Amino acid sequence: MSHMKSSASAFSGSTRVVTPAGNVAGSLRLPGDKSISHRYAMLAGFAEGISHLTNFSSGADPHSTLACMQQLGAGVERGENGVFTVTGCAGSFQAPQAALDCGNSGSTMRMLAGLLAAQPFTSTLVGDTSLSRRPMERIRMPLTAMGAKLDLTEGHAPVTIHGGPLRGLDYRTPIASAQVKTCLLFAGLQASGTTQVHESVHTRDHGELALRAFGAEVERSKLTVSIQGGQKLHGIDASVPGDLSSAAFFLCAAALFPESNLVLDGVGMNPTRASLLDVLRGLGVRLNVLELSEQHAELVGTLQVLGNPGGLQGAEISGALSAQLIDELPVLAAIAPYTRDGIRIRDARELRVKESDRIALVAQNLRAMGAQVEEFEDGLDVPGGQTLHGAGIDAGDDHRIAMAFAVAALRAVGDTQIHGAESAAISFPEFFEFLDRITER
Ligand code: S3P
C-alpha cells in the first residue's frame, strides 16, 4: 500500500503515501517497550556485573541511551540474536570525554541526569533541535535541592551537571511525569538517607519495577514512592515486553474497521500504561486478553482486538487519565472524526512540550484532512461523524504524529502523504512495514 518516494515539498526527509484500506487483520509481535528499554539500559550500565537484554527497543531513542552508557564506561554488545549484553560500571561511571548526545530523547536526558547528579565529575547532556526546546527546569529544581549543580540555558539543554554527594529529598512533583519521578529515584539510589516522591497521578511505574528487578528496594504507598540511598544493583537477564504505545497505532487502526481481527503477541500490559484499552472498550471496540504472564513484575499479554459492527461511540478524556494516556492522545484524536460522538481531551497541556506541540500539530493536520476541530490550551475537541480527505500531513519531526495520521489515512477518501515519515524510527522503525502487513485493500 504505502511506498517511499522523495519529497518534492518543503518538508524535510521522506514522504510515505498511505492509501485507504478495507480492513485490518492478522497478527504481529511488537519490538520492545521504549520506556522499559531506557530504564533497563541505564540500570544495566550502572549495575555491577553483566545484563542480557532481549527484545530491546529498535527505536532510535533507547539506542541514544545505550550509546551514552558506552561513553560512560559500560560495555554494550549486540549479539547475533539481537540480545544486548551490557557490562555495568558497578555504580561508578567514567567521566565522559565529550558531551553525551541524547538525540531526540527526553527520557534519556531527564532520567540519565538523575544517575549523573551523584557522580563525582562534570558532564553535559545535549540533544537535537526538538529536545533542545523541551523544559528541563523540572529536573534542575529537585536535583539542586539534593545537592547537585545543574546549568541550563533558559531552562533548556544543554544540561551541564556538576555531580557530587547528594542528600535524600522529600518532593511533591508539580507536573505528572514518570521521567522526573525516575530521575529522582535514580539520584535517590545514590543519596544519603531516603528520597520520597509524591505524585498527583500514578504515572507509569517502570522505573520502580526496573530498580527492583536490578535488586533495589523501592517502596510505594498510594501516590508516594520512596528509596533508600546506598543500595547496590546487580546485572540481570531480562526480556523487554512489546511496546503498548506502538501497539496503540494498530489497535486504533483495527478499531476503525467493523470486521477487523488483529492479534498482538507479547505486549506490555502494565496497568499504569494500559488505560488505552479501557478507552477503546468505551468506544465500543472488543478486546480480549488471550494470555497473561509476568516478567520482572511487568505484565505481558496477548491481545486480540475485534472491530465493532455498530461503529465507534465517543470519549471524554481528562484529569489523571490524560496524564496516563499522554502518548496515545495524538492517535485517539486522529481517529476521533470517525467516531459517532467525537473525542474531547482536556488536562493534557503537557502535549504542548513533547517532541512537538502535539495539540497544535494534531489540530493542523486534522484540518488539512478537512475536519472540524477546536483547539484549547490543554486539549482538543474533535467532533464525530466527519469524513476525512487524503491530504499532505506535516509530521513535524514527531514520530507519534507521523504514525497517528498514517492510521487516520486508512479510512480517508483519497491518498494521504505523510511528510517526514522517517521520524517514526524514533520509537518504531518497523511501523510502515507492519502497517502494510495488517491492512487489506
Ligand atoms: C515517559 C514518560 C512520559 C512519556 C514519554 C516516556 C517515560 O513523559 O510521554 O514518552 O518513559 O517515563 P513525561 O515523564 O514527561 O510525562
Side-chain angles (χ1 to χ4, degrees):
M1 62 111 194
S2 62
H3 58 276
M4 278 293 218
K5 64 176 192 185
S6 59
S7 170
S9 72
F11 298 95
S12 64
S14 63
T15 295
R16 281 267 177 176
V17 178
V18 181
T19 60
N23 196 18
V24 161
S27 73
L28 292 173
R29 177 170 281 272
L30 294 152
D33 184 86
K34 177 163 86 72
S35 292
I36 299 174
S37 294
H38 280 300
R39 288 159 171 84
Y40 283 0
M42 286 184 203
L43 296 184
F46 184 75
E48 174 159 21
I50 294 177
S51 296
H52 296 106
L53 306 179
T54 307
N55 200 38
F56 193 81
S57 165
S58 49
D61 272 6
H63 286 266
S64 293
T65 293
L66 282 177
C68 290
M69 284 297 120
Q70 270 180 308
Q71 246 182 292
L72 289 164
V76 177
E77 275 170 49
R78 186 177 199 277
E80 275 170 25
N81 45 8
V83 176
F84 283 89
T85 300
V86 180
T87 308
C89 297
S92 298
F93 287 133
Q94 282 170 20
Q97 296 301 307
L100 296 156
D101 188 358
C102 304
N104 190 242
S105 174
S107 301
T108 307
M109 189 169 275
R110 297 193 180 119
M111 300 195 296
L112 187 52
L115 283 181
L116 291 173
Q119 298 285 309
F121 52 74
T122 295
S123 49
T124 298
L125 300 167
V126 296
D128 68 6
T129 313
S130 149
L131 181 53
S132 303
R133 281 196 294 259
R134 297 181 64 187
M136 293 298 147
E137 186 58 31
R138 56 186 64 189
I139 54 163
R140 195 193 66 82
M141 242 174 17
L143 288 177
T144 303
M146 294 179 84
K149 185 172 177 306
L150 274 77
D151 302 325
L152 311 177
T153 307
E154 293 176 8
H156 303 287
V159 180
T160 295
I161 303 167
H162 308 278
L166 301 182
R167 50 187 174 271
L169 178 71
D170 195 310
Y171 191 66
R172 195 164 293 280
T173 50
I175 310 153
S177 165
Q179 292 175 358
V180 173
K181 171 179 61 175
T182 307
C183 164
L184 298 180
L185 294 175
F186 285 2
L189 175 70
Q190 305 167 80
S192 61
T194 307
T195 296
Q196 287 207 316
V197 183
H198 311 279
E199 306 189 88
S200 54
V201 172
H202 191 174
T203 62
R204 63 189 72 188
D205 65 359
H206 305 302
E208 296 92 302
L209 300 186
L211 278 162
R212 286 193 192 131
F214 281 84
E217 275 181 34
V218 180
E219 278 171 33
R220 168 172 284 280
S221 158
K222 294 190 182 136
L223 291 171
T224 298
V225 232
S226 49
I227 188 162
Q228 282 290 335
Q231 302 188 63
K232 300 279 174 264
L233 303 185
H234 53 77
I236 61 170
D237 285 0
S239 174
V240 181
D243 195 319
L244 184 57
S245 296
S246 297
F249 298 103
F250 304 127
L251 295 172
C252 287
L256 295 179
F257 297 91
E259 304 283 304
S260 63
N261 186 347
L262 182 66
V263 175
L264 303 175
D265 287 320
V267 190
M269 304 264 289
N270 178 315
T272 62
R273 286 287 292 286
S275 307
L276 174 71
L277 307 183
D278 300 328
V279 173
L280 288 174
R281 282 197 183 100
L283 286 173
V285 175
R286 289 170 294 159
L287 279 165
N288 301 317
V289 179
L290 303 180
E291 256 181 65
L292 205 56
S293 63
E294 232 183 78
Q295 302 173 4
H296 289 298
E298 291 284 358
L299 282 183
V300 186
T302 297
L303 261 179
Q304 181 186 38
V305 49
L306 299 162
N308 184 347
L312 299 174
Q313 289 146 39
E316 288 256 344
I317 301 167
S318 62
L321 189 56
S322 293
Q324 285 166 335
L325 268 176
I326 198 80
D327 291 342
E328 288 70 65
L329 293 177
V331 67
L332 282 170
I335 64 163
Y338 301 118
T339 64
R340 189 189 64 199
D341 303 327
I343 297 186
R344 181 176 180 272
I345 298 168
R346 290 291 186 284
D347 304 318
R349 191 171 283 105
E350 276 291 298
L351 280 179
R352 294 207 181 266
V353 291
K354 292 291 177 189
E355 288 81 330
S356 68
D357 177 342
R358 287 182 173 161
I359 293 179
L361 210 47
V362 165
Q364 174 194 318
N365 284 319
L366 277 173
R367 287 187 187 120
M369 296 183 84
Q372 297 285 331
V373 47
E374 200 175 344
E375 189 181 324
F376 295 83
E377 179 49 31
D378 67 339
L380 293 159
D381 275 359
V382 188
Q386 306 193 67
T387 302
L388 296 185
H389 296 270
I393 295 298
D394 175 9
D397 294 324
D398 185 330
H399 54 130
R400 298 206 198 277
I401 300 293
M403 295 187 277
F405 281 88
V407 171
L410 298 176
R411 291 226 63 167
V413 177
D415 291 355
T416 296
Q417 298 82 38
I418 312 281
H419 301 299
E422 75 289 346
S423 62
I426 285 296
S427 60
F428 195 3
E430 306 84 349
F431 170 75
F432 285 99
E433 184 198 321
F434 281 27
L435 190 65
D436 268 350
R437 267 202 245 158
I438 58 158
T439 42
E440 297 173 356
R441 294 201 148 69

